[in-house]
Amino acid sequence: MLIGSRREILGGIGALAIGSGVPGRAVAAPRKIGYAIVGLGSYATRQIMPNFAGCEHARLVALVSGTPAKLEQYGAEYGIPATHRYSYANYDRIRDNSDIDVVYVVLPNSLHAEYSIRAARAGKHVMCEKPMAISVAECEAMIAACREAGTKLMIGYRSRFEPYNRLAIDLARRAHVGPTRFITAEHGFPIKPGQWRLDRPLSGGGSMMDIGIYSLNAARYLAGEEPVEVTAVETTDRSDPRFKTVEDRLSFVLRFPSGIQATCLSSYSSAHNSYRVIGTQGWIDMEPATPYEGQSMRIRKDGVVAPRTLPASPKNQFAGQLDHLAECIIGNTTPIVSGAEGLADLRVIEAIYRSASEHRAVTINA
Ligand code: NAD
């Protein structure tokens, strides 16, 4: 679905008739933007698909999987007809399905670029999970493919649609605890053996690609600027069968142009989920910071520590993310987490790996 076909989006197949407020008349509301989900694994089926129910502008219309039983099971559960169920072999036929506006790629990392580019070439907008891809070159190819096709590209950085993270960004930008001096960010979990995340050809890397990217992304969105230099240290026990091909622990320090320093952790052998913005007059602390739910914030300002709670949000971060791309398509605007955002993370990740392997500070080229 190209951007130019807004008329079809606003009044096409599946348009809902709602009351216009004028007695005796009904107008067609914009039809919801149709998503195809590619890869029916854990994240797609447990977090993404159930949350279309909370969307105002997005709906699930198609499924892509290599497992016929999953297509059958989830097709039945979500009312997706056989005509809208695809295998990887006939994936490119999504081109002919006008109900599909967006393809959401929820595959292992090394497949993101290929399936995103094929979606763009089929004329579809793309939502792609993090990490956007496994190299800067792949990210650039994805951006180019979407630009050439005239389709939008968004990366699944769900925390940007989560109220506490949005508040933390706002408070940091407004220097609520004084101008930011330091950011600390830690993400990790003890990984179980026997999964694609531990297989470099599929994952593209270890904890950094998977969970450390939350530390990096948070440091960037809390600082509100791009890091210019990184120094990283890696520690991986190569005798541990989980870490034959990917790294376990990384710590890295990012230097930002304004002078902010961010000290970040990434781990596949210890549990972390927190960040802290430290300003000249106190700090903003989030622990946990980026889980699926249950964020908790405390603020220390002028010597007083207090929790900060927000009213329950009517829309969770998953529905917020899905609706955001739909709104960008309807209004022809650019997602706040476009391909450029995913590319920026991959640029830093490549510099982190280089710094760790060469034992030196590495300049990050924008
Ligand atoms: P998963 O292993 O549960 O699912 C991956 C799916 O890809 C499976 O259904 C598998 O069958 C399919 N697949 C297709 N081709 C494959 C191949 N060649 N090898 C292996 N699997 C193949 O993984 P997941 O946890 O759902 O992660 C999928 C993507 O979503 C990853 O990129 C991950 O980083 C991302 N993710 C994001 C979040 C988030 O909070 N944003 C959370 C979890 C995962």
Side-chain angles (χ1 to χ4, degrees):
M1 175 69 61
L2 297 176
I3 300 163
S5 51
R6 187 161 181 255
R7 200 157 47 106
E8 190 177 342
I9 291 170
L10 294 175
I13 306 159
L16 301 170
I18 57 163
S20 63
V22 179
R25 286 184 63 191
V27 294
R31 81 162 167 85
K32 289 185 173 184
I33 296 298
Y35 276 71
I37 301 290
V38 186
L40 302 179
S42 169
Y43 189 60
T45 60
R46 293 186 200 176
Q47 265 66 48
I48 298 302
M49 285 154 55
N51 278 304
F52 280 100
C55 289
E56 294 170 86
H57 306 293
R59 65 184 182 131
L60 178 61
V61 298
L63 302 172
V64 183
S65 171
T67 311
K70 284 190 196 171
L71 288 172
E72 185 59 41
Q73 177 194 340
Y74 294 110
E77 187 175 336
Y78 288 94
I80 310 295
T83 50
H84 290 50
R85 301 176 194 171
Y86 297 86
S87 68
Y88 295 117
N90 67 14
Y91 171 64
D92 298 299
R93 286 200 211 144
I94 56 169
R95 174 193 304 276
D96 304 322
N97 189 331
S98 61
D99 285 343
I100 301 172
D101 302 296
V102 178
V103 170
Y104 190 166
V105 179
V106 204
L107 292 166
N109 307 342
S110 69
L111 302 172
H112 289 183
E114 180 194 335
Y115 282 85
S116 296
I117 290 168
R118 282 166 66 184
R121 288 184 182 152
K124 307 300 179 183
H125 301 286
V126 178
M127 176 86 82
C128 179
E129 257 317 311
K130 46 56 62 178
M132 176 173 172
I134 61 169
S135 69
V136 165
E138 283 189 349
C139 294
E140 289 173 341
M142 292 163 72
I143 291 169
C146 289
R147 191 193 310 117
E148 280 158 27
T151 61
K152 302 202 182 282
L153 172 57
M154 175 168 155
I155 311 305
Y157 289 119
R158 59 180 166 73
S159 295
R160 296 291 294 276
F161 305 93
E162 192 284 314
Y164 282 92
N165 280 272
R166 291 170 79 105
L167 176 61
I169 293 169
D170 182 52
L171 293 173
R173 300 277 165 85
R174 289 193 289 110
H176 180 68
V177 291
T180 304
R181 311 310 293 154
F182 289 97
I183 294 166
T184 63
E186 305 182 7
H187 285 82
F189 64 94
I191 193 160
K192 295 194 177 78
Q195 47 176 309
W196 64 261
R197 286 179 165 76
L198 297 169
D199 181 14
R200 179 174 290 273
L202 284 170
S203 62
S207 70
M208 190 62 224
M209 283 284 181
D210 187 30
I211 190 75
I213 194 171
Y214 286 91
S215 294
L216 166 59
N217 198 249
R220 290 182 47 252
Y221 62 65
L222 293 166
E225 49 188 301
E226 293 304 325
V228 290
E229 186 189 82
V230 65
T231 308
V233 176
E234 183 204 323
T235 307
T236 303
D237 176 0
R238 295 289 174 188
S239 72
D240 185 326
R242 294 175 300 174
F243 305 127
K244 290 287 180 225
T245 66
V246 299
E247 83 280 357
D248 173 16
R249 281 171 290 152
L250 272 167
S251 57
F252 53 98
V253 177
L254 302 167
R255 195 163 62 76
F256 289 88
S258 67
I260 295 173
Q261 280 186 28
T263 300
C264 303
L265 301 186
S266 172
S267 175
Y268 260 169
S269 58
S270 46
H272 316 246
N273 191 317
S274 65
Y275 61 63
R276 182 175 278 199
V277 179
I278 302 150
T280 54
Q281 295 161 35
W283 42 252
I284 302 157
D285 185 275
M286 284 266 277
E287 183 169 21
T290 62
Y292 295 154
E293 59 186 349
Q295 275 75 0
S296 175
M297 179 183 277
R298 289 184 314 150
I299 297 176
R300 179 186 168 104
K301 188 169 181 180
D302 300 328
V304 180
V305 178
R308 184 72 176 261
T309 51
L310 290 170
S313 173
K315 201 189 276 188
N316 68 20
Q317 59 188 317
F318 305 102
Q321 175 193 315
L322 294 164
D323 265 348
H324 179 68
L325 180 55
E327 285 167 340
C328 289
I329 293 166
I330 293 165
N332 195 16
T333 55
T334 303
I336 60 167
V337 278
S338 68
E341 180 74 13
L343 169 62
D345 272 353
L346 258 295
R347 271 207 187 99
V348 182
I349 290 174
E350 287 191 350
I352 288 169
Y353 285 144
R354 194 171 316 127
S355 172
S357 75
E358 297 177 8
H359 304 283
R360 64 176 179 91
V362 168
T363 301
I364 301 159
N365 298 311

